[in-house]
Amino acid sequence: MPRVNVFAYPTSEYDEDGPQLAGWFDPNSATKYDEGTRWDGNNNVSVNPVGQYGHQALYRTKGGRWVLNTWSQWQGSEDRYEFVDDATAKDWLLRNDEDDAVEQWFGELEEESGPNLGGRPAVGTKVETRLPDDVLAALDERAKAEGTSRAEMIRRLVTASL
């Protein structure tokens, strides 16, 4: 297969310009991830709710870009190829049971994930470290003096030192 053109599709059906060429890639040098399917009792059906387009695949190009390929089996429909960001690619991989690919490209998966039902909001990636008691006491004292939490004080000090 020769190079595949990738388009940026309009967000509105009233956009008169239509799809714009955004780039291209060589699928032979990319890693392809096929959509996940589930048996519905009669057929293997896609796990992706994609409206008029029934199927998807995701490519990781040689240059490190993510390309989402969407297509339908309807006669006369054309494949769509569009660049997607890391968050969209990670979500797609997770939805399609590609946990190994998620770990390869985005790091180790947490043992559990879900909504925060009452704890502190997540600010970023969790990092753990051990501090001597005297350093921890000084840290807590400074946080109290500045009217902030221990976690926020650690974030401020680390950021300032970088």
Side-chain angles (χ1 to χ4, degrees), residues 24-42:
W24 55 84
F25 75 105
D26 178 359
N28 294 324
S29 64
T31 302
K32 181 181 181 186
Y33 298 97
D34 291 314
E35 68 185 348
T37 59
R38 299 285 186 271
W39 180 252
D40 73 354
N42 295 310

Side-chain angles (χ1 to χ4, degrees), residues 45-145:
V45 296
S46 173
V47 299
N48 298 298
V50 290
Q52 66 183 3
Y53 294 93
H55 303 282
Q56 292 183 329
L58 185 68
Y59 290 87
R60 172 76 175 190
T61 69
K62 186 176 179 180
R65 293 182 182 93
W66 294 103
V67 177
L68 183 63
N69 171 216
T70 308
W71 73 93
S72 173
Q73 294 173 318
W74 285 96
Q75 182 177 349
S77 64
E78 295 183 16
D79 283 22
R80 291 176 61 141
Y81 291 88
E82 56 191 311
F83 290 117
V84 295
D85 61 17
D86 284 348
T88 302
K90 182 178 180 182
D91 180 67
W92 191 95
L93 291 167
L94 287 169
R95 288 174 182 266
N96 288 275
D97 300 323
E98 292 285 356
D99 292 358
D100 291 341
V102 172
E103 290 191 356
Q104 177 183 359
W105 301 114
F106 300 104
E108 187 175 348
L109 284 171
E110 311 87 34
E111 183 175 324
E112 182 176 327
S113 179
N116 184 347
L117 301 175
R120 293 189 338 213
V123 175
T125 303
K126 182 179 179 181
V127 177
E128 295 184 55
T129 187
R130 296 186 183 275
L131 299 173
D133 290 339
D134 60 327
V135 173
L136 186 58
L139 178 69
D140 287 341
E141 188 175 316
R142 182 161 176 187
K144 184 178 178 183

